[in-house]
Amino acid sequence: MGMNMSEKILARHARLDSVKAGQLITCKLDMVLANDITAPPSIKKFEEIGRPVFDNEKIALVPDHFQPAKDIKSAELAKAVRDFANKWNIVNYFEQGRVGIEHVILPEKGIVGPGMLTIGADSHTCTYGAVNGFATGVGSTDLGAAMATGEAWFKVPEAIKVNLTGQKPKNINGKDVILTLIGMIGVDGARYKSLEFTGPGVAELTMTDRLTIANMAIEAGGKNGIFPFDDVCKEYVEGRVQKPYEPVAADPDAQYCQTVEINLSELKPVVAFPHLPGNTKRVEDIGSPIAIDQVIIGSCTNGRLEDMQIAAEILKGHKVADRVRCIIIPGSPAIYKESMKRGYIDAFIDAGCSVSTPTCGPCLGGYMGIMAAGEKCVSTTNRNFRGRMGHVDSEVYLAGPHVAAASAILGRIATPEEVK
């Protein structure tokens, strides 16, 4: 019996010839990740074990959620991470000015790559499946143990095959693809399962699309999301990933518990209404206009250079609606710098946007865009749970950068085609 991509990575790291769904295994880890919220409790558990870190090159500490520090508590969280990193000489520790959003900078810097097994004390660690790795989120206790042992246990997940066909329209991006999928199967449709993206349509997706899609596998309940290693992936990782890597491909007779078909040619821009990522609607089907108060373009889901480009091309020569706040957050210093070089930042500021240093900030209701009661936001972030971005009576509508930028201009949920 053949294995799918996830099973092959897990088997290799468990040092087994093969594994199957439901099997409990212990695996060696290639990378262990934590941020300013999850690292401090992980450090406490690590210290209880009383051992040194297993490998100072295989731990990444990224203070990105409440940083630059918004208050005394967030400053103390960052200090705990900083002190730990200094004590153990953690190579992949990112200080302010050099830090970006964790799930943006780890692929960007080649810290994660094909065939690698990564765990992170952050649910969106599944992002790294875009580069043909197995990556998943864990709790702080498991993360603390992993920093000491370099190992973690897994239950091998069943896999859902997502077969992509057709050609991606110009106004469609990865956010539309993953929101469409979550709308089809529900927020629990892939619970503790692997989402494996295959088919001829994969070649239509840029690396930014793939990173966005893999990032939100967790929003369908997925254990992980993973893409094949093809020319697009190869071009991205070459020159970035410095360590030897071994890509994986699914066997022809790999086992899947379900197959979902998505024809990219048929996709239309979508928005996830409050208060679930699966509550998706095509923008063209919304009906009565929905006025908004705020737009967020950024996050680990859509804070990459291509996202900045899409937003800048729509916003250039236009103004943000008078009653709307538009906040743009490049995902890393490199993206910020390249956005300046290409004139994107000028386009944002000229349009009346606020541009932030790289941070998770408003996505989790941290800072840099908290909403008051009754306010509505179109956001390129990944979650729209009640109270996620501020007051429990505020509302978050999830969308891609095309829809977010157009909505900022028109002051209501809109598509770029409506911008004159």
Side-chain angles (χ1 to χ4, degrees):
M1 184 182 297
M3 291 189 289
N4 55 49
M5 289 183 280
S6 295
E7 290 169 341
K8 284 192 173 183
I9 294 174
L10 291 172
R12 181 187 301 163
H13 287 79
R15 299 178 181 177
L16 299 172
D17 292 334
S18 65
V19 296
K20 61 182 180 180
Q23 186 174 346
L24 297 178
I25 57 174
T26 299
C27 296
K28 296 287 185 180
L29 301 168
D30 294 306
M31 186 55 59
V32 175
L33 165 72
N35 56 53
D36 49 317
I37 294 178
T38 61
S42 298
I43 290 168
K44 289 182 180 179
K45 291 300 178 183
F46 166 84
E47 290 173 343
E48 290 175 6
I49 297 172
R51 292 168 57 172
V53 296
F54 80 103
D55 189 328
N56 69 334
E57 293 185 358
K58 293 184 178 182
I59 297 172
L61 299 175
V62 188
D64 60 354
H65 277 53
F66 290 152
Q67 309 301 324
K70 75 179 184 73
D71 53 26
I72 294 172
K73 287 185 178 180
S74 60
E76 290 175 343
L77 289 173
K79 186 178 185 300
V81 180
R82 184 180 300 115
D83 291 347
F84 181 84
N86 289 334
K87 177 179 180 179
W88 296 106
N89 192 28
I90 303 300
V91 173
N92 293 306
Y93 165 69
F94 298 92
E95 189 53 88
Q96 298 305 310
R98 298 177 290 280
V99 74
I101 299 172
E102 56 194 322
H103 307 310
V104 174
I105 64 172
L106 262 63
E108 180 184 273
K109 293 181 176 295
I111 295 171
V112 292
M116 288 180 59
L117 177 56
T118 303
I119 63 169
D122 186 276
S123 58
H124 292 103
T125 301
C126 51
T127 304
Y128 315 138
V131 291
N132 191 236
F134 185 100
T136 193
V138 299
S140 292
T141 300
D142 284 332
L143 200 285
M147 290 196 298
T149 65
E151 296 181 347
W153 71 272
F154 297 85
K155 178 182 176 183
V156 179
E158 292 183 303
I160 296 175
K161 182 178 184 179
V162 182
N163 189 46
L164 302 175
T165 57
Q167 295 182 315
K168 185 181 72 168
K170 185 178 180 181
N171 63 345
I172 293 297
N173 57 76
K175 190 61 156 289
D176 298 294
V177 177
I178 188 61
L179 287 179
T180 297
L181 174 61
I182 298 170
M184 293 169 66
I185 68 174
V187 294
D188 60 351
R191 186 169 54 197
Y192 212 97
K193 296 176 182 177
S194 173
L195 287 170
E196 299 214 351
F197 296 90
T198 65
V202 169
E204 290 283 309
L205 302 177
T206 66
M207 186 51 65
T208 294
D209 290 328
R210 300 174 192 203
L211 289 161
T212 297
I213 293 168
N215 175 272
M216 288 189 67
I218 185 63
E219 265 62 66
K223 182 68 175 175
N224 69 304
I226 189 168
F227 279 83
F229 182 81
D230 60 4
D231 290 342
V232 172
C233 186
K234 181 179 180 182
E235 182 180 356
Y236 182 82
V237 300
E238 283 190 344
R240 295 179 189 270
V241 181
Q242 300 302 313
K243 295 182 178 180
Y245 58 83
E246 188 176 349
V248 293
D251 291 326
D253 58 343
Q255 300 297 300
Y256 299 95
C257 63
Q258 181 183 352
T259 298
V260 178
E261 301 284 347
I262 295 180
N263 184 341
L264 299 175
S265 303
E266 298 175 353
L267 296 188
K268 297 291 183 68
V270 296
V271 170
F273 275 49
H275 293 282
L276 286 174
N279 188 17
T280 56
K281 297 182 181 181
R282 288 183 173 185
V283 177
E284 65 184 23
D285 296 333
I286 289 176
S288 300
I290 298 176
I292 60 171
D293 303 282
Q294 177 167 287
V295 169
I296 300 290
I297 300 175
S299 84
C300 63
T301 313
N302 284 111
R304 297 177 179 83
L305 186 62
E306 185 177 321
D307 301 306
M308 299 296 108
Q309 178 182 353
I310 291 169
E313 289 176 350
I314 295 169
L315 285 161
K316 188 174 183 179
H318 296 278
K319 293 289 185 181
V320 172
D322 289 342
R323 62 184 300 275
V324 174
R325 312 179 298 273
C326 183
I327 302 168
I328 310 236
I329 307 175
S332 74
I335 292 168
Y336 202 130
K337 188 174 180 179
E338 185 63 24
S339 294
M340 288 193 293
K341 188 183 300 182
R342 297 188 184 189
Y344 301 162
I345 304 299
D346 284 342
F348 298 149
I349 294 174
D350 290 346
C353 302
S354 173
V355 184
S356 166
T357 189
T359 179
C360 296
C363 175
L364 70 156
Y367 71 130
M368 285 298 298
I370 306 305
M371 290 196 293
E375 291 191 315
K376 295 178 173 64
C377 177
V378 172
S379 180
T380 66
T381 54
N382 42 51
R383 287 182 179 153
N384 59 346
F385 307 150
R386 187 180 295 277
R388 172 74 174 178
M389 200 176 283
H391 198 282
V392 293
D393 291 329
S394 62
E395 295 181 348
V396 177
Y397 295 78
L398 301 178
H402 292 93
V403 169
S407 300
I409 295 167
L410 296 179
R412 58 176 173 81
I413 297 176
T415 62
E417 290 75 21
E418 299 177 75
V419 178
K420 307 299 183 183

